[in-house]
Amino acid sequence: MVHSAAPVILPSLLACDLANLASEANRVCPTKDDYVHLDVMDGHFVPNLTWGAPVVKCLRPHCKAFFDVHLMVTDPEFWIKDMKEAGADQFTFHIEATQDPRGLIAKIKEAGMKVGIALKPKTPASAVMEYAGEVDLVLCMTVEPGFGGQSFMHDIMPKVAEVRGAFPALNIQVDGGVGPDTIDHVAKAGANWIVAGSSVFKAQDPRATMRLMARSVEKHGNGKADADLTPL
């Protein structure tokens, strides 16, 4: 589905060598024009624990990249101030975790962060349609949230296409099981913000893998000719 939203590839730090978080972040995203994805899990909304604002804050001085923070937590409202002070650039919350999405969106914007709204695999696109015009990004999970390394869920692609059809210029993110083998599927469906964990950090050349995925979005999403794609 052709659209105007530019490709952004976001390595998911959950898949890196966590004992060397700062060096791993800079290995794949060394500049201020790069983006990294940080998964915050509370062990309640999802059955796993990762890191919170203190870890994000510790990493911030050592990494120039844009911090895309995905909060898989109960009561995301509680973490707005902490995440802003920690250095988050974008705060993505789950539609399933709040009773007042519009109020939460307003609070995140007031704190000075960009806003994303996420959907679990079983949540329909209709759940976010009335809010999508008010946020910077819609995230369609392509695995069940909570753990890395899961298999890509092809049946989420119609949901991605439904959101893209309604919002041609919106940033649409996919997260879970995305890599060189699955990127064409998400690019054709209309996603342009691509979260990739193991496929980037385990690659022999992470930056080349990121460029390959960006090229797929340019070709299948932006409709560019092969000669106009980002060089490998």
Side-chain angles (χ1 to χ4, degrees):
M1 185 175 295
V2 177
H3 55 82
S4 61
V8 173
I9 311 302
L10 304 96
S12 174
L13 293 182
L14 190 61
C16 79
D17 175 3
L18 297 179
N20 298 284
L21 187 60
S23 61
E24 284 283 85
N26 284 295
R27 179 168 69 92
V28 298
C29 292
T31 79
K32 63 180 179 59
D33 296 321
D34 291 315
Y35 294 70
V36 294
H37 185 81
L38 297 107
D39 288 310
V40 176
M41 306 179 193
D42 64 358
H44 185 261
F45 182 73
V46 293
N48 196 11
L49 286 167
T50 54
W51 45 62
V55 173
V56 177
K57 187 175 183 177
C58 287
L59 180 62
R60 181 72 281 180
H62 304 285
C63 182
K64 299 175 183 178
F66 181 100
F67 278 14
D68 172 44
V69 180
H70 175 199
L71 284 99
M72 289 168 271
V73 302
T74 302
D75 300 321
E77 295 87 349
F78 183 79
W79 300 106
I80 295 172
K81 181 175 182 291
D82 285 356
M83 285 299 168
K84 172 59 179 178
E85 292 178 351
D89 295 297
Q90 181 161 269
F91 185 113
T92 296
F93 68 92
H94 270 265
I95 187 67
E96 305 90 352
T98 181
Q99 297 298 313
D100 183 15
R102 187 159 282 116
L104 180 53
I105 290 167
K107 290 177 182 177
I108 297 168
K109 289 181 177 180
E110 288 169 6
M113 292 180 286
K114 292 183 178 296
V115 187
I117 188 167
L119 295 149
K120 288 183 176 183
K122 294 180 182 178
T123 303
S126 59
V128 299
M129 286 301 194
E130 67 175 290
Y131 311 110
E134 303 170 29
V135 300
D136 299 284
L137 173 144
V138 168
L139 164 56
C140 295
M141 294 296 298
T142 46
V143 296
E144 288 294 339
F147 294 93
Q150 297 181 61
S151 296
F152 175 77
M153 299 173 71
H154 289 268
D155 57 354
I156 305 301
M157 294 306 94
K159 183 194 298 187
V160 175
E162 183 179 352
V163 178
R164 174 58 70 206
F167 298 93
L170 179 67
N171 288 321
I172 299 177
Q173 186 175 71
V174 289
D175 180 3
V178 182
D181 293 339
T182 53
I183 183 61
D184 287 354
H185 297 290
V186 299
K188 290 175 181 177
N192 67 300
W193 275 46
I194 312 300
V195 177
S198 301
S199 62
V200 169
F201 283 102
K202 293 182 179 180
Q204 184 173 359
D205 186 339
R207 297 290 288 185
T209 298
M210 293 166 66
R211 290 192 296 272
L212 183 151
M213 290 191 282
R215 284 166 60 92
S216 180
V217 175
E218 290 173 343
K219 180 175 182 177
H220 300 296
N222 301 144
K224 290 186 177 182
D226 287 351
D228 298 324
L229 301 180
T230 296
L232 280 173

